[in-house]
Short mmCIF file of all heavy atoms in Angstrom, two decimals:
data_model
loop_
_atom_site.label_atom_id
_atom_site.label_comp_id
_atom_site.label_asym_id
_atom_site.label_seq_id
_atom_site.Cartn_x
_atom_site.Cartn_y
_atom_site.Cartn_z
N GLY L 29 131.49 72.12 -45.00
CA GLY L 29 130.93 72.79 -46.07
C GLY L 29 131.23 72.19 -47.42
O GLY L 29 131.23 72.80 -48.44
N GLY L 34 140.60 68.45 -44.42
CA GLY L 34 141.65 69.32 -44.15
C GLY L 34 141.09 70.68 -43.56
O GLY L 34 141.94 71.47 -43.13
N ARG L 35 139.91 70.95 -43.82
CA ARG L 35 139.33 72.28 -43.54
C ARG L 35 138.01 72.08 -42.64
O ARG L 35 137.15 72.81 -42.79
CB ARG L 35 138.99 72.97 -44.79
CG ARG L 35 140.15 73.08 -45.66
CD ARG L 35 139.92 73.74 -47.10
NE ARG L 35 139.61 75.09 -47.06
CZ ARG L 35 139.46 75.90 -48.03
NH1 ARG L 35 139.69 75.32 -49.31
NH2 ARG L 35 139.38 77.24 -47.94
N ALA L 45 128.69 75.92 -41.69
CA ALA L 45 129.87 75.67 -42.64
C ALA L 45 130.94 76.60 -42.26
O ALA L 45 130.73 77.80 -41.98
CB ALA L 45 129.32 76.19 -44.02
N VAL L 46 132.11 76.07 -42.22
CA VAL L 46 133.35 76.84 -41.96
C VAL L 46 133.62 77.72 -43.11
O VAL L 46 134.05 78.96 -42.94
CB VAL L 46 134.54 75.80 -41.72
CG1 VAL L 46 135.86 76.68 -41.59
CG2 VAL L 46 134.29 75.08 -40.55
N LYS L 97 132.38 56.08 -56.69
CA LYS L 97 132.13 57.51 -57.05
C LYS L 97 130.90 57.74 -57.92
O LYS L 97 130.80 58.46 -58.81
CB LYS L 97 133.34 58.23 -57.80
CG LYS L 97 134.60 58.30 -56.94
CD LYS L 97 135.78 58.95 -57.74
CE LYS L 97 137.01 58.98 -56.94
NZ LYS L 97 138.11 59.76 -57.63
N VAL L 100 123.96 57.53 -55.86
CA VAL L 100 122.78 56.63 -55.66
C VAL L 100 121.58 57.36 -55.33
O VAL L 100 121.63 58.14 -54.34
CB VAL L 100 123.07 55.45 -54.52
CG1 VAL L 100 121.87 54.62 -54.37
CG2 VAL L 100 124.41 54.85 -54.79
N TYR L 107 116.18 48.92 -58.14
CA TYR L 107 116.91 48.10 -58.94
C TYR L 107 118.08 47.53 -58.00
O TYR L 107 118.47 46.26 -58.23
CB TYR L 107 117.76 49.06 -59.96
CG TYR L 107 116.77 49.50 -61.11
CD1 TYR L 107 116.01 50.70 -60.86
CD2 TYR L 107 116.66 48.92 -62.26
CE1 TYR L 107 115.11 51.22 -61.64
CE2 TYR L 107 115.87 49.47 -63.21
CZ TYR L 107 115.08 50.56 -62.91
OH TYR L 107 114.13 50.98 -63.92
N LEU L 125 138.31 36.91 -61.04
CA LEU L 125 139.47 37.44 -60.42
C LEU L 125 139.90 38.81 -61.03
O LEU L 125 140.34 39.71 -60.31
CB LEU L 125 140.56 36.47 -60.28
CG LEU L 125 140.27 35.12 -59.61
CD1 LEU L 125 141.44 34.17 -59.64
CD2 LEU L 125 139.87 35.33 -58.10
N THR L 186 118.30 42.14 -72.05
CA THR L 186 117.60 43.41 -72.00
C THR L 186 118.44 44.40 -70.98
O THR L 186 119.06 43.96 -70.03
CB THR L 186 116.25 43.23 -71.40
OG1 THR L 186 116.22 42.71 -70.11
CG2 THR L 186 115.44 42.35 -72.34
N GLY L 209 117.94 22.50 -70.70
CA GLY L 209 116.57 22.53 -70.68
C GLY L 209 115.97 23.40 -69.51
O GLY L 209 114.79 23.68 -69.40
N ARG L 215 120.71 39.02 -63.21
CA ARG L 215 120.78 40.45 -63.29
C ARG L 215 122.08 40.94 -62.77
O ARG L 215 122.71 40.41 -61.97
CB ARG L 215 119.63 41.16 -62.51
CG ARG L 215 118.22 40.84 -62.85
CD ARG L 215 117.15 41.21 -61.90
NE ARG L 215 115.81 41.20 -62.43
CZ ARG L 215 115.11 40.06 -62.41
NH1 ARG L 215 115.57 38.86 -61.85
NH2 ARG L 215 113.94 40.08 -62.86
N THR L 222 128.59 47.22 -69.70
CA THR L 222 129.29 46.02 -69.87
C THR L 222 129.64 45.39 -68.61
O THR L 222 129.51 44.16 -68.49
CB THR L 222 130.61 46.32 -70.65
OG1 THR L 222 130.34 47.00 -71.93
CG2 THR L 222 131.43 45.13 -70.77
N GLU L 223 129.95 46.11 -67.62
CA GLU L 223 130.11 45.60 -66.17
C GLU L 223 128.88 44.95 -65.68
O GLU L 223 129.02 43.88 -65.04
CB GLU L 223 130.61 46.72 -65.37
CG GLU L 223 130.80 46.39 -63.90
CD GLU L 223 131.80 45.32 -63.62
OE1 GLU L 223 132.70 45.23 -64.42
OE2 GLU L 223 131.59 44.58 -62.57
N ALA L 224 127.67 45.56 -65.94
CA ALA L 224 126.45 45.01 -65.49
C ALA L 224 126.20 43.64 -66.20
O ALA L 224 125.81 42.71 -65.48
CB ALA L 224 125.40 45.92 -65.79
N THR L 229 126.49 37.60 -65.88
CA THR L 229 127.23 36.34 -66.45
C THR L 229 127.81 35.55 -65.27
O THR L 229 127.62 34.23 -65.39
CB THR L 229 128.15 36.72 -67.55
OG1 THR L 229 127.42 37.41 -68.56
CG2 THR L 229 128.71 35.50 -68.19
N GLU L 237 125.94 26.00 -61.54
CA GLU L 237 126.57 25.03 -60.60
C GLU L 237 125.57 24.47 -59.65
O GLU L 237 125.52 23.27 -59.39
CB GLU L 237 127.60 25.74 -59.75
CG GLU L 237 128.79 26.14 -60.51
CD GLU L 237 129.69 24.98 -60.91
OE1 GLU L 237 129.83 24.05 -60.09
OE2 GLU L 237 130.17 24.99 -62.03
N LYS L 238 124.50 25.15 -59.30
CA LYS L 238 123.35 24.74 -58.49
C LYS L 238 122.52 23.83 -59.20
O LYS L 238 122.02 22.77 -58.77
CB LYS L 238 122.62 25.87 -57.95
CG LYS L 238 123.36 26.80 -57.01
CD LYS L 238 122.53 27.93 -56.45
CE LYS L 238 123.25 28.88 -55.58
NZ LYS L 238 122.49 30.01 -55.16
N ASN L 242 121.69 19.81 -58.60
CA ASN L 242 120.45 19.34 -58.43
C ASN L 242 120.13 18.14 -59.37
O ASN L 242 119.52 17.12 -59.01
CB ASN L 242 119.37 20.46 -58.73
CG ASN L 242 119.25 21.50 -57.64
OD1 ASN L 242 119.65 21.23 -56.52
ND2 ASN L 242 118.84 22.69 -58.12
#
Side-chain angles (χ1 to χ4, degrees):
R35 303 173 76 170
V46 174
K97 300 184 180 180
V100 183
Y107 294 83
L125 301 179
T186 62
R215 294 171 171 81
T222 302
E223 173 65 24
T229 304
E237 290 293 320
K238 296 179 181 179
N242 292 335

